[in-house]
């Protein structure tokens, strides 16, 4: 099951409230709260698109730059200090930065999933 939607570079979650019998979600990966809801899939999709469009229009009216989700920077926390050490040693001995090594590993894994 796919619990995300994408529109104009923004990713939105899809959730369901049994109590309220409504689909809802929010834009992921930014600090601003952009939420939406609907009682049907089409209503949810339309409200998601409208919420993103409203956010972009508000930013333009205020002369501010809209937040960009997933800019390429994140803080990685390893479960084990040994994994961190091993990754650093591998990167150094292969003339890479640790960031370059991690990026390469993630790209390889994602590419393998699409193959």
């Amino acid at each position: 099951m796919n619990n995300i939607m994408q529109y104009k570079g923004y990713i939105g979650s899809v959730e369901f409230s049994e109590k309220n019998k409504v689909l809802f979600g929010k834009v992921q990966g930014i600090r601003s709260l952009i939420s939406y809801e609907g009682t049907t899939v089409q209503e949810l999709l339309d409200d998601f698109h409208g919420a993103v469009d409203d956010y972009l229009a508000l930013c333009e009216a205020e002369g501010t730059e809209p937040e960009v989700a997933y800019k390429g920077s994140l803080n990685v926390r390893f479960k084990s200090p040994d994994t961190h050490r091993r990754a650093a040693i591998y990167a150094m001995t292969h003339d890479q930065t640790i960031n370059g090594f991690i990026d390469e590993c993630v790209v390889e894994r994602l590419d393998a999933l699409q193959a």
Side-chain angles (χ1 to χ4, degrees):
M1 181 193 310
N2 185 352
N3 292 332
I4 65 167
M5 302 181 292
Q6 298 184 57
Y7 180 65
K8 293 188 175 179
Y10 292 91
I11 297 171
S13 64
V14 178
E15 299 185 51
F16 173 68
S17 168
E18 183 176 7
K19 177 182 175 186
N20 298 322
K21 294 181 178 38
V22 66
L23 298 160
F24 66 96
K26 65 180 183 175
V27 172
Q28 303 294 301
I30 62 175
R31 285 174 282 160
S32 297
L33 176 60
I34 305 172
S35 60
Y36 42 86
E37 65 178 49
T39 56
T40 67
V41 172
Q42 191 59 56
E43 283 181 11
L44 180 71
L45 191 58
D46 291 344
D47 203 40
F48 169 55
H49 289 186
V52 170
D53 289 340
D54 289 348
Y55 170 70
L56 295 173
L58 178 64
C59 289
E60 185 175 344
E62 292 179 345
T64 60
E65 284 293 315
E67 288 182 70
V68 176
Y70 310 110
K71 297 179 273 192
S73 174
L74 79 139
N75 185 2
V76 175
R77 300 231 185 266
F78 293 104
K79 291 180 183 177
S80 162
D82 185 57
T83 302
H84 188 177
R85 181 186 61 76
R86 290 171 51 210
I89 291 169
Y90 181 92
M92 285 185 275
T93 60
H94 288 82
D95 199 28
Q96 289 181 293
T97 64
I98 194 166
N99 286 337
F101 171 60
I102 292 168
D103 182 68
E104 182 180 284
C105 291
V106 171
V107 169
E108 285 178 14
R109 181 68 182 262
L110 293 173
D111 287 349
L113 290 172
Q114 293 178 351

